[in-house]
Amino acid sequence: QTFNTDEGDLLAFIFDVYNRGTFDLGSSPYGILYYNLCLISTYVLSWFTEVTHSQVLVVSRLISYSFLLGSAVVIGAYTKKFRLGEWGISFTLTLLGSQVLIKYGLMLHPDTIQLFFIAAGLYFVSSFLENGKWKVFIFSIICAAFAFSSKYSGLLLFPFIGLSALVKFDEVKENI
């Protein structure tokens, strides 16, 4: 049923936590957002039917795939907003046609969720640098937090957000 042993281990981990009836994940090699989304979906599914490993696998893969599609929407919006033209369209199509992304979009991994939140965070940071609205800045922080909670390397988004705040703060200070 699973593509590799790593995916099998993750499925067993989610199913074990589900069978205990808790959200107590203990330690995890990744962040907890993906697992909690899978568990919430599994608990909702259990209201309608008895849950099996196969159903948890399908639900978990649907979550990954949904976030992959969401990433496509965010990258497309970025391309349109910043008028990247043919280069942006080519980049978007190349990225979305990537075998690695398609593979992770169909597997039980938090990578596509992290990609979505990093792409959205960068979109909001770019928008903040363009229009200076602090509400957009807050959205970038929220996206960075979700990127970090899906996989720990999402922490790398925070320096970009911090630098954008410093740039805007210097602009505001100069206008006073």
Side-chain angles (χ1 to χ4, degrees):
Q1 286 184 355
T2 59
F3 291 131
N4 56 41
T5 56
D6 190 31
E7 189 181 37
D9 292 343
L10 293 172
L11 175 64
F13 179 67
I14 292 169
F15 201 74
D16 180 52
V17 173
Y18 165 74
N19 281 332
R20 285 187 272 136
T22 69
F23 283 92
D24 182 15
L25 299 169
S27 65
S28 165
Y30 304 115
I32 61 170
L33 178 64
Y34 178 71
Y35 297 116
N36 281 326
L37 289 175
C38 292
L39 283 171
I40 290 168
S41 301
T42 302
Y43 283 124
V44 169
L45 180 64
S46 72
W47 297 341
F48 304 103
T49 186
E50 186 176 329
V51 177
T52 65
H53 280 85
S54 297
Q55 291 167 328
V56 173
L57 183 65
V58 168
V59 166
S60 301
R61 286 179 178 168
L62 281 173
I63 290 170
S64 292
Y65 190 71
S66 298
F67 276 95
L68 178 63
L69 293 177
S71 299
V73 170
V74 170
I75 292 168
Y78 195 92
T79 300
K80 183 178 179 182
K81 180 177 177 107
F82 296 103
R83 296 178 183 91
L84 298 178
E86 292 176 10
W87 180 87
I89 292 169
S90 298
F91 171 76
T92 303
L93 291 175
T94 301
L95 185 66
L96 295 177
S98 163
Q99 292 297 319
V100 173
L101 273 182
I102 292 170
K103 177 182 146 190
Y104 278 114
L106 298 174
M107 288 180 66
L108 219 138
H109 282 283
D111 298 286
T112 56
I113 293 176
Q114 182 188 31
L115 172 67
F116 172 78
F117 284 115
I118 286 176
L122 291 173
Y123 177 83
F124 288 126
V125 164
S126 301
S127 297
F128 170 68
L129 288 172
E130 184 179 63
N131 63 27
K133 294 183 180 175
W134 288 95
K135 181 170 75 172
V136 176
F137 180 73
I138 298 299
F139 285 138
S140 69
I141 292 173
I142 292 169
C143 287
F146 280 130
F148 175 69
S149 70
S150 62
K151 203 167 176 187
Y152 300 131
S153 57
L155 187 64
L156 296 175
L157 189 55
F158 283 105
F160 292 107
I161 293 171
L163 289 173
S164 69
L166 289 175
V167 166
K168 278 299 175 184
F169 181 73
D170 282 344
E171 287 178 14
V172 169
K173 195 168 72 173
E174 288 175 8
N175 291 333
I176 295 179

